[in-house]
Amino acid sequence: MKNRVMPIVLSLIMVLTILLAACSSKTADPTTNPTTDLNTVPSTSTNSPGGVKGKYDPPIELTTVMYNFNYPKFGEGDSLNNNPWTRYLLEQDGIKVNHLWDVASAQYEQKVNLMIASGNIPDFFAVSPLQFKQLHNAGLIEDLTHSYEQYATEETKQVIQDAGPEVIQSAIIDGKLMAIPWSGENLVYSPSVLWVRSDWMEQLKLSPPQSMNDVLHIAEAFTKQDPDGNKQDDTFGLAMDKNFDMMTGFLNAYHAYKGIWMEDGAGRLAYSSIQPEMKTALAKLQEMYAARQLDPEFGIKDYAKVEESIGSGKIGLIFGNIGTSELTQRLTPAIDWIPYPVPSIDDKPALMQHPLNIAGYYWVVKKGTKNVEAIYQMIQVWLDLFYNNTSDEMYAQYNATSDTGYWMNAPIRIYKTFKDVDIYRHLKPLLESSDKEHADVSELTPEERDFYARILDFEKGNSDNRWVYWKEGLNSSAKVIDGYITNKQYQPDKFIITPTPAMIQKKPNLDKMENQMISKIILGGSLDEFDKFVSEWKKLGGDDITKEVNDWYANK
């Protein structure tokens, strides 16, 4: 949920919402059914979703629990069980939702653990992957196989299908659908996008990057040719942090992937970080570090410290994501950073790694709950009010105003994976028209209308909307992601269940070894450190983990 019709401060809060919700996910290949029809704005009836009979009369009651974010979600006089969403569901659908409690997002999983331990769970609620497995093993949740097929609307099924085939697979245990995945936006927000300072490119008369060799040339120029014109040797080509979060796009350009499980071509899964492509990519980063194309102090800088370097004009290349325009707006408000697809080092396209496309949670239903079908009715209400409506009034009532995020009161949610790409595709024909000022925007959603107005405002000179232009405009980061979807440039993590026993016991130490190896090599250590790491990784638990992963993969 990002960037609704509201000032930029609220949009940034929405971005943090998704980042917080999605921090622990893994993902699926999005290319089978990349998205719904993007040329129209869907319109459905919330009163007759799927096979549900419509409004319950007399009303039914369902209990749940939920988390919130550090932002107001209640209007004047509203409360947890008396707000626009609970009133709508009761009045329009005959569903009375009773929230037992509501806590801050950081406390949610612990609170759910305590609730599960007490044996008193609500009718439906969101659980982590581990909690999902525990509840299933204890026989406490409903088999949703038949109810999902019968009652989930076609739109609901499409949203989950768009999230990638492995998303629904991850909710199936022993051939039964035991949860509804809280589909996420990882296929849009996880893939790397290359961002380049346009003023430095113009100052040095450089051409846009078409290959990874072009990127390396630009990084060298940004380091050696004084792009800021201050006659000091104080600029670096590429942003890098000590935790290597900003390294992913660079690795993917070399067909290297950090920390995921991928098919090995022989029907098995292999751990990506021990593959030879990783060694090749690290060797190049070592060269760049030696040539001062990386910040010499990156090894002690966390992400916040790297932001300081970007803001002070020391860095010209960032492997970020679709939302990096919001970061650059905040750090360098007068500078255009141009988004480009991550190029490849050779003639094979670069594939973007990503985790399982869930927003961190699964929706489960307590075993024995009556009217299970009502959860699908509530999901469709969410889709209609949050995504499908074109009414500014309804948006302000159920989604958000400049100071209140009403959407947090929705008792059940799933996210449309390609929403930001949908926006780009909807705006594209209007932005390409000869009369943009008088384009018919009536079929756009309120968010889309707001973005369209912001883009036109930026084109007239209002730099406050620079971030929207580079995120959703004609040559935006959304266009880059659209290209990834069209060209099937995704590398999913193929391991989609909770950690295996060996992972729980041995993975933390192996991950620490991996980061130490990466750091040693980049900082100038022998490339033999990679081979030593691979050998030690296997001996100290990697082989045990690989066996468990492939035992699961062979029988999934």
Side-chain angles (χ1 to χ4, degrees):
M1 336 263 94
K2 304 167 191 74
N3 314 324
R4 300 288 162 188
V5 182
M6 57 189 76
I8 186 171
V9 62
L10 180 54
S11 80
L12 292 175
I13 288 169
M14 298 302 183
V15 172
L16 289 175
T17 294
I18 285 298
L19 293 177
L20 288 167
C23 64
S24 63
S25 40
K26 304 178 166 82
T27 210
D29 186 338
T31 57
T32 304
N33 289 285
T35 188
T36 52
D37 180 7
L38 299 172
N39 296 317
T40 61
V41 179
S43 177
T44 58
S45 169
T46 57
N47 292 326
S48 57
V52 178
K53 61 185 179 182
K55 183 175 181 178
Y56 290 92
D57 188 13
I60 62 170
E61 180 173 348
L62 293 171
T63 57
T64 191
V65 296
M66 183 45 70
Y67 62 82
N68 60 73
F69 299 99
N70 187 26
Y71 194 78
K73 72 173 187 174
F74 295 127
E76 185 177 355
D78 286 346
S79 63
L80 194 58
N81 291 311
N82 182 21
N83 56 67
W85 285 85
T86 59
R87 291 192 291 269
Y88 184 98
L89 286 167
L90 181 59
E91 295 166 5
Q92 299 296 320
D93 294 271
I95 302 172
K96 182 179 181 181
V97 179
N98 179 21
H99 289 82
L100 303 181
W101 49 259
D102 177 62
V103 296
S105 59
Q107 303 168 17
Y108 181 74
E109 286 189 38
Q110 181 181 9
K111 182 83 169 178
V112 169
N113 281 333
L114 293 173
M115 183 180 66
I116 293 173
S118 74
N120 184 23
I121 62 175
D123 295 320
F124 71 96
F125 60 116
V127 296
S128 71
L130 182 58
Q131 291 165 343
F132 170 37
K133 184 177 181 180
Q134 291 169 337
L135 287 166
H136 170 264
N137 291 346
L140 295 177
I141 53 177
E142 279 285 335
D143 174 3
L144 304 179
T145 309
H146 299 298
S147 63
Y148 179 78
E149 182 60 33
Q150 183 174 359
Y151 294 110
T153 67
E154 290 306 309
E155 184 178 13
T156 296
K157 293 175 181 177
Q158 187 67 54
V159 169
I160 294 176
Q161 184 175 333
D162 286 349
E166 291 169 5
V167 169
I168 196 74
Q169 291 171 12
S170 72
I172 295 174
I173 302 178
D174 297 331
K176 298 177 181 178
L177 181 66
M178 300 303 299
I180 303 302
W182 189 335
S183 54
E185 296 178 312
N186 289 332
L187 304 189
V188 170
Y189 275 81
S190 290
S192 293
V193 174
L194 175 64
W195 294 83
V196 185
R197 276 190 66 142
S198 64
D199 57 333
W200 288 9
M201 292 283 285
E202 294 167 4
Q203 173 71 16
L204 302 180
K205 297 181 172 55
L206 298 172
S207 300
Q210 301 295 320
S211 68
M212 194 58 190
N213 284 326
D214 292 339
V215 175
L216 299 176
H217 172 69
I218 292 170
E220 180 180 22
F222 283 179
T223 303
K224 295 182 177 181
Q225 297 182 26
D226 191 25
D228 58 1
N230 68 354
K231 302 187 185 306
Q232 296 182 35
D233 185 15
D234 60 352
T235 57
F236 313 103
L238 180 63
M240 184 70 68
D241 67 292
K242 68 176 184 179
N243 297 316
F244 311 115
D245 295 327
M246 306 179 81
M247 184 177 68
T248 303
F250 188 95
L251 295 179
N252 293 173
Y254 280 80
H255 316 299
Y257 312 95
K258 185 177 187 296
I260 67 172
W261 291 86
M262 50 193 289
E263 293 175 341
D264 65 359
R268 292 172 56 82
L269 296 185
Y271 186 57
S272 62
S273 296
I274 65 172
Q275 305 309 309
E277 291 82 1
M278 176 67 77
K279 184 177 182 179
T280 303
L282 293 179
K284 179 53 67 174
L285 285 171
Q286 184 184 78
E287 289 180 24
M288 295 179 70
Y289 179 79
R292 298 189 75 255
Q293 294 171 25
L294 305 180
D295 185 346
E297 298 180 345
F298 88 85
I300 60 172
K301 288 186 175 181
D302 59 15
Y303 197 93
K305 287 295 184 182
V306 177
E307 285 188 1
E308 291 180 11
S309 298
I310 295 170
S312 61
K314 304 299 183 185
I315 290 172
L317 292 166
I318 306 170
F319 281 102
N321 66 9
I322 187 176
T324 297
S325 64
E326 294 159 282
L327 173 71
T328 57
Q329 173 89 50
R330 174 167 57 86
L331 299 176
T332 56
I335 304 299
D336 283 320
W337 289 74
I338 313 299
Y340 297 97
V342 173
S344 173
I345 193 60
D346 54 30
D347 59 355
K348 296 188 301 182
L351 304 182
M352 304 299 107
Q353 73 176 79
H354 57 85
L356 182 67
N357 191 21
I358 63 170
Y361 295 98
Y362 294 86
W363 294 100
V364 296
V365 178
K366 180 175 69 175
K367 195 172 186 65
T369 296
K370 295 181 179 180
N371 301 115
V372 172
E373 74 283 349
I375 68 168
Y376 307 111
Q377 191 153 337
M378 289 188 288
I379 290 174
Q380 186 59 52
V381 169
W382 159 258
L383 295 174
D384 284 336
L385 295 184
F386 190 80
Y387 287 108
N388 298 337
N389 93 80
T390 59
S391 164
D392 291 326
E393 181 181 356
M394 288 185 68
Y395 187 94
Q397 184 175 4
Y398 296 104
N399 289 6
T401 60
S402 61
D403 58 1
T404 308
Y406 297 108
W407 59 270
M408 283 185 281
N409 293 297
I412 187 167
R413 308 192 286 272
I414 59 176
Y415 297 144
K416 286 190 174 184
T417 294
F418 299 110
K419 188 263 299 180
D420 279 288
V421 177
D422 292 358
I423 293 173
Y424 159 73
R425 292 185 179 180
H426 294 156
L427 298 187
K428 184 174 183 287
L430 304 182
L431 293 172
E432 291 176 333
S433 69
S434 58
D435 190 6
K436 291 185 286 189
E437 292 290 337
H438 300 95
D440 182 3
V441 297
S442 61
E443 292 189 359
L444 299 179
T445 66
E447 178 182 18
E448 290 168 343
R449 285 196 290 270
D450 178 65
F451 276 10
Y452 185 68
R454 287 173 179 264
I455 290 172
L456 297 188
D457 197 38
F458 172 73
E459 291 178 341
K460 294 175 182 176
N462 185 353
S463 61
D464 289 345
N465 289 315
R466 188 186 309 276
W467 68 277
V468 184
Y469 180 86
W470 290 115
K471 184 180 181 184
E472 298 290 357
L474 289 178
N475 294 299
S476 61
S477 53
K479 178 184 178 182
V480 171
I481 302 299
D482 187 27
Y484 292 159
I485 296 168
T486 300
N487 299 324
K488 302 182 179 181
Q489 290 179 251
Y490 285 91
Q491 179 62 57
D493 188 340
K494 292 291 187 177
F495 184 73
I496 59 173
I497 63 168
T498 53
T500 68
M503 279 184 182
I504 294 172
Q505 181 181 2
K506 300 174 180 179
K507 190 173 184 293
N509 183 54
L510 296 179
D511 289 346
K512 182 179 179 180
M513 287 171 48
E514 180 176 326
N515 282 342
Q516 288 174 341
M517 174 273 296
I518 291 172
S519 182
K520 286 180 182 178
I521 290 179
I522 295 177
L523 295 176
S526 170
L527 288 176
D528 291 341
E529 291 286 345
F530 178 82
D531 302 306
K532 178 182 176 182
F533 161 73
V534 172
S535 176
E536 291 297 305
W537 184 88
K538 292 180 177 181
K539 290 178 184 178
L540 298 178
D543 280 347
D544 295 334
I545 294 174
T546 301
K547 181 181 184 304
E548 291 177 346
V549 167
N550 279 289
D551 286 346
W552 161 79
Y553 193 63
N555 296 287
K556 68 181 179 71

